[in-house]
Amino acid sequence: MTNKQYGKKQWALSDGYIPLQSTGREPDFVSSDKVSILNTSFDEATITIILYFMDGEPAGDYKFKVKPERVRKVRINDLIDPHAIPLGVSYAGVIESDVPVVVQFTKQNSAQKELAIMGTKAYPAD
Amino acid sequence: MTNKQYGKKQWALSDGYIPLQSTGREPDFVSSDKVSILNTSFDEATITIILYFMDGEPAGDYKFKVKPERVRKVRINDLIDPHAIPLGVSYAGVIESDVPVVVQFTKQNSAQKELAIMGTKAYPAD
Amino acid sequence: MTNKQYGKKQWALSDGYIPLQSTGREPDFVSSDKVSILNTSFDEATITIILYFMDGEPAGDYKFKVKPERVRKVRINDLIDPHAIPLGVSYAGVIESDVPVVVQFTKQNSAQKELAIMGTKAYPAD
Amino acid sequence: MTNKQYGKKQWALSDGYIPLQSTGREPDFVSSDKVSILNTSFDEATITIILYFMDGEPAGDYKFKVKPERVRKVRINDLIDPHAIPLGVSYAGVIESDVPVVVQFTKQNSAQKELAIMGTKAYPAD
């Protein structure tokens, strides 16, 4: 098996939103935005996320690692260091990596029982 | 923090549609198409939207600003100057910016209670 | 207003499927796959669609026009010349145009009341 | 008809997940992730899928063919040789082909009756 390098080092998303209320059963069906990061390379990836809002300064840098040849899912809700993410607000984000990674963004909204929506999209920016 | 310039100056979408009726609670669950625009740069972005229809001339230019390092969500329903957008018709649109931005398009349809659909997509055109 | 030329001349999609049964009210909520084509140019676009299946030869060419500065939505269900599209089968398709166009693909599945799904995606292939 | 070569030879997805439970009727509405592969060329395509997980080594190579001018849908659930895919875990994958193909990824989740979600996306990686 050769050292694969799938993806890009820069990704962005602009339509993040986490509602305040939720009707789903924990933990699978609560409202959440997730970033799925695939690192196909033989090198550990260092990831930096910066979040942008409608009002106020950007938050970050949120930093974490993705091991070689592994996938990692990061719940935006769980980002607390250096700042907890607010609920009930719109946000956008950029994701940067030191090795190429594949990023997909998953929205799940269970605030209204009949309204279960999901989009999956991140923009490969470099 | 350096001056980031994520995205493109031209975006397009072709599958816009806003139904006439809606069953959702205001304001979160009404049928609406939204354009989310992320400006990661240190410069204010001037945005121009032009809408296209199946019949009749294009409408626009709709103009607005996105502040530096901020995200802005524009409801297509709320575009009234220079022309209010009609309901119950299909439309397409192009979004142009003077600095690179990241654009995502969100559809939400609550016209039929059981049918809650959402796609998120805009085409980076330059 | 200048002559805009947004998009590409070749698009493709691989995950088409139209179920046999449907529970929605006509005409808005029946199961259907739609291709939305935006022509921002000052020239009429001539579109050619070819459909591919799991078994059997490709079907087409399906031909139609999109006027200058207009959007057109084509229901795959309605393609009958030179061949009606079968229901209950998977298909893929390529969309070719003589001027650049923006294409988005919309799936709507109302075969099961609780299961209303939609994806919107076409791959810009040139 | 000329020999068309739509697409890319490398694709990737990072947000795969198959829940353990399902409420849908077999076989159309069970939870499943599907990869739709369109081969528009006159040559048979040899496909290789490798799956990545949060913990443990990658699985594969899963190999199969797509005939010339045909589309094929592969259920991730059905991949058993060389290893059956586990349920209830997140995964990512890369799809490689020896001729250009168009790949779309379809998620369908019927684990909770009211929550039927679908995204369709694969990242063209070469």
Side-chain angles (χ1 to χ4, degrees), chain A residues 5-9 11 38-41 45 97-102:
Chain A
Q5 294 234 335
Y6 271 76
K8 299 279 184 184
K9 292 184 179 178
W11 297 79
L38 169 60
N39 176 15
T40 61
S41 80
S97 175
D98 57 349
V99 298
V101 291
V102 175

Side-chain angles (χ1 to χ4, degrees), chain B residues 13-16 52-55 90-93, chain C residues 35-39 66-73 102:
Chain B
L13 61 99
S14 66
D15 65 342
Y52 295 84
F53 303 98
M54 299 179 75
D55 302 300
S90 295
Y91 70 92
Chain C
V35 175
S36 300
I37 302 169
L38 169 60
N39 175 15
V66 183
K67 290 179 183 169
E69 296 190 288
R70 296 292 184 278
V71 61
R72 180 163 177 180
K73 303 212 169 185
V102 175

Side-chain angles (χ1 to χ4, degrees), chain C residues 32-125:
Chain C
S32 64
D33 286 12
K34 282 179 203 158
V35 175
S36 300
I37 302 169
L38 169 60
N39 175 15
T40 60
S41 80
F42 290 169
D43 303 306
E44 186 175 62
T46 299
I47 308 293
T48 303
I49 293 182
I50 301 172
L51 299 179
Y52 295 84
F53 304 98
M54 299 179 75
D55 301 301
E57 295 300 307
D61 298 357
Y62 300 97
K63 293 214 174 250
F64 51 92
K65 308 278 190 181
V66 183
K67 290 179 183 169
E69 296 190 288
R70 296 292 184 278
V71 61
R72 180 163 177 180
K73 303 212 169 185
V74 175
R75 291 215 322 170
I76 299 294
N77 310 37
D78 295 339
L79 295 178
I80 55 169
D81 180 19
H83 302 98
I85 185 175
L87 303 182
V89 302
S90 295
Y91 71 92
V94 298
I95 298 110
E96 298 178 343
S97 174
D98 57 348
V99 298
V101 291
V102 175
V103 173
Q104 291 187 326
F105 177 57
T106 306
K107 287 172 84 71
Q108 186 172 300
N109 186 340
S110 60
Q112 189 190 33
K113 202 175 58 178
E114 297 87 357
L115 184 68
I117 57 179
M118 175 182 186
T120 165
K121 173 107 187 92
Y123 172 70

